[in-house]
Amino acid sequence: MYGVSTKVSTGFDETIERVTEALKEQGFGVLSDIDVAKTLNTKLGVDQAPYRILGACNPDFAHQAITAEPDIGALLPCNVVVRVDDEGDVRVLFMNPLTVLELVDNPQVPELAARVRERLDRVMEAVKD
């Protein structure tokens, strides 16, 4: 599975704030924030439920990964999706680094991916009710 998700009871904007803060507490910064709904509306005139992609990066882990595997940047940063589903519930989806980084044939990467996954699991627990 390429991602793990959870439903939360907080509103969309509050969830963005909670996710961003929980990422920060685990050493991740948000390098990019893509408002997919706004972009689709602007470019295509499509109405889309709120949908944001946060590009999260832990500089220490990123440095270790790039040192071990210079081309790994194609798989970075760790994406976190906050979206409103068809029922109106807010969902948070985290990229699963264990699955994505299986694409890399380097024995140093799985252990690093496991450490990143542990941190992202802590973020998910922090934003759950």
Side-chain angles (χ1 to χ4, degrees):
M1 167 150 306
Y2 61 86
V4 291
S5 67
T6 188
K7 182 171 82 170
V8 298
S9 64
T10 52
F12 186 80
D13 291 333
E14 182 180 346
T15 301
I16 293 288
E17 290 174 16
R18 289 181 68 193
V19 168
T20 301
E21 184 59 33
L23 284 166
K24 184 178 178 181
E25 289 173 8
Q26 293 301 319
F28 292 85
V30 175
L31 299 179
S32 62
D33 182 349
I34 303 168
D35 188 335
V36 175
K38 181 179 178 182
T39 300
L40 292 178
N41 187 274
T42 300
K43 300 290 184 180
L44 303 176
V46 173
D47 286 327
Q48 164 77 41
Y51 193 114
R52 302 241 310 258
I53 303 170
L54 305 176
C57 177
N58 178 302
D60 184 50
F61 289 144
H63 178 256
Q64 290 176 53
I66 291 168
T67 299
E69 185 68 37
D71 292 338
I72 205 164
L75 301 175
L76 301 176
C78 296
N79 284 331
V80 179
V81 173
V82 179
R83 68 181 185 89
V84 175
D85 67 17
D86 292 339
E87 289 78 40
D89 294 317
V90 177
R91 297 199 169 268
V92 180
L93 172 80
F94 297 85
M95 179 194 86
N96 183 354
L98 295 172
T99 301
V100 174
L101 297 179
E102 283 177 2
L103 300 170
V104 179
D105 185 24
N106 182 317
Q108 297 174 348
V109 172
E111 188 271 329
L112 181 58
R115 291 178 28 223
V116 172
R117 173 64 191 267
E118 288 173 12
R119 297 265 183 115
L120 291 176
D121 285 345
R122 289 184 205 139
V123 172
M124 185 161 45
E125 286 302 314
V127 299
K128 283 184 178 179
D129 302 334

